[in-house]
């Protein structure tokens, strides 16, 4: 991981309480896999904010983040302007192992702010010749984003909890609508969603990206520990994850 002051080159609202932030800097060249994150320092706040990487372009040195306003820190982040810079630490964690996924067809399942890291993942798989089907879940039409971008990569099913866009319900309600011809699934979202997805797809090989509050972001503080099924008994989401193979950790 490197610490860099990155320049803001784009900053706009995408959906309700959801913003896109594009940064320019050398850090873009260090991203190994889609699904990694950066730790952003916001002046006036002690802890950095972990934000997953939605897209990256090492040729143009840009990293795109999509974040949701969840509290005072992310609310303060919305006030940063194009041309200003941010103190960014990253890239952190283990992303989706796209180079190891040798499938003809992959199912992408994202819920809410879990959708962004799946976008660069889907793009990478598409570049590798993999067919993509996506299920994207949101609370309502006002909360939806990146739907057209995913449609450019393949078939898309949208669910909203209030039924204002796509199918009414949660992402798991759309699983029967998807043809069962995919070999892998990749998912990111709340833990309860990940558990439901894994329970419904026990015969498929999957990778799950966990959302969690973090302290240091490098594995030293043990603030983001999750129970694992190996002899060690635990994993640190910030450095051992956030992406885990389905069944590797306990989804309480």
């Amino acid at each position: 991981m490197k610490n860099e002051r990155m320049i803001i080159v784009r900053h706009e609202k995408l959906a309700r309480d959801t913003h896109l932030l594009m940064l320019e800097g050398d850090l873009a060249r260090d991203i190994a896999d889609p699904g990694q994150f950066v730790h952003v320092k916001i002046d006036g706040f002690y802890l950095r904010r972990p934000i997953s990487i939605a897209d990256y372009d090492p040729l143009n040195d840009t990293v795109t983040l999509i974040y949701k306003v969840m509290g005072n820190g992310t609310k303060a982040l919305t006030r940063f302007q194009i041309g200003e810079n941010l103190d960014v630490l990253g890239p952190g964690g283990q992303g989706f192992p796209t180079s190891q996924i040798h499938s003809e067809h992959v199912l992408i399942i994202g819920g809410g702010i879990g959708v962004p890291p799946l976008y660069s993942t889907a793009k990478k798989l598409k570049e590798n010749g993999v067919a993509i089907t996506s299920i994207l879940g949101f609370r309502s039409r006002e909360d939806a984003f990146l739907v057209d971008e995913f449609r450019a990569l393949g078939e898309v099913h949208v669910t909203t909890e209030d039924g204002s866009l796509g199918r009414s319900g949660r992402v798991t309600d759309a699983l029967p609508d998807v043809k069962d011809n995919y070999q892998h699934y990749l998912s990111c979202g709340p833990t309860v969603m990940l558990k439901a997805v894994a329970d419904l797809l026990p015969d498929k090989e999957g990778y799950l990206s966990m959302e969690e509050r973090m302290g240091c972001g490098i594995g030293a503080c043990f603030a983001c520990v999750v129970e694992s099924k190996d002899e060690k008994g635990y994993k640190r989401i910030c450095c051992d994850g956030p992406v885990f193979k389905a069944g590797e950790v306990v989804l309480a």
Side-chain angles (χ1 to χ4, degrees):
M1 297 178 73
K2 71 163 54 171
N3 193 190
E4 180 180 358
R5 296 203 70 87
M6 303 187 74
I7 300 172
I8 299 172
V9 295
R10 183 180 169 193
H11 198 184
E12 62 191 56
K13 188 174 182 178
L14 283 185
R16 178 165 53 189
D17 295 328
T18 306
H19 300 256
L20 180 148
L21 178 65
M22 182 182 286
L23 306 172
E24 183 180 274
D26 294 342
L27 186 147
R29 306 174 196 173
D30 297 330
I31 298 170
D33 291 303
Q36 292 183 281
F37 69 92
V38 293
H39 233 188
V40 178
K41 178 74 172 68
I42 303 171
D43 293 341
F45 295 87
Y46 177 70
L47 292 178
R48 292 174 178 267
R49 265 53 181 181
I51 303 176
S52 59
I53 297 169
D55 203 4
Y56 57 99
D57 182 353
L59 294 179
N60 292 303
D61 289 340
T62 59
V63 175
T64 300
L65 312 177
I66 294 177
Y67 67 94
K68 188 175 182 66
V69 176
M70 304 290 287
N72 291 332
T74 43
K75 184 176 181 180
L77 186 57
T78 65
R79 295 192 282 268
F80 280 80
Q81 303 294 316
I82 292 174
E84 294 184 307
N85 57 59
L86 279 174
D87 185 319
V88 180
L89 181 67
Q94 309 300 317
F96 290 100
T98 51
S99 61
Q100 301 173 30
I101 297 175
H102 305 292
S103 298
E104 294 181 358
H105 188 189
V106 166
L107 177 63
I108 300 289
I109 308 169
I113 203 61
V115 169
L118 293 168
Y119 178 58
S120 56
T121 305
K123 282 181 63 179
K124 188 66 174 178
L125 289 170
K126 185 74 172 180
E127 290 172 6
N128 294 344
V130 179
I132 304 296
T133 297
S134 302
I135 302 175
L136 310 178
F138 306 97
R139 289 185 177 178
S140 72
R141 177 186 291 272
E142 292 182 338
D143 299 290
F145 58 92
L146 291 185
V147 175
D148 289 340
E149 287 80 355
F150 273 91
R151 282 182 177 145
L153 301 175
E155 180 183 354
V156 175
H157 300 262
V158 177
T159 67
T160 51
E161 294 178 18
D162 66 357
S164 57
L165 180 66
R167 182 181 179 130
S168 177
R170 302 182 185 277
V171 291
T172 48
D173 294 321
L175 283 173
D177 301 335
V178 178
K179 292 181 181 179
D180 188 17
N181 61 348
Y182 53 92
Q183 292 79 43
H184 288 80
Y185 69 89
L186 311 178
S187 187
C188 183
T191 301
V192 64
M193 186 202 92
L194 297 180
K195 186 177 188 308
V197 168
D199 287 348
L200 288 168
L201 301 175
D203 299 327
K204 301 291 185 180
E205 187 171 344
Y207 291 91
L208 309 174
S209 180
M210 301 187 70
E211 300 174 353
E212 186 60 60
R213 291 182 178 273
M214 298 178 186
C216 68
I218 57 174
C221 71
F222 284 73
C224 59
V225 169
V226 62
E227 183 182 354
S228 67
K229 298 181 180 180
D230 60 9
E231 65 282 355
K232 194 174 181 181
Y234 69 89
K235 298 285 186 182
R236 295 163 296 177
I237 292 176
C238 66
C239 58
D240 298 317
V243 177
F244 299 99
K245 194 168 184 178
E248 185 177 356
V249 298
V250 176
L251 302 171

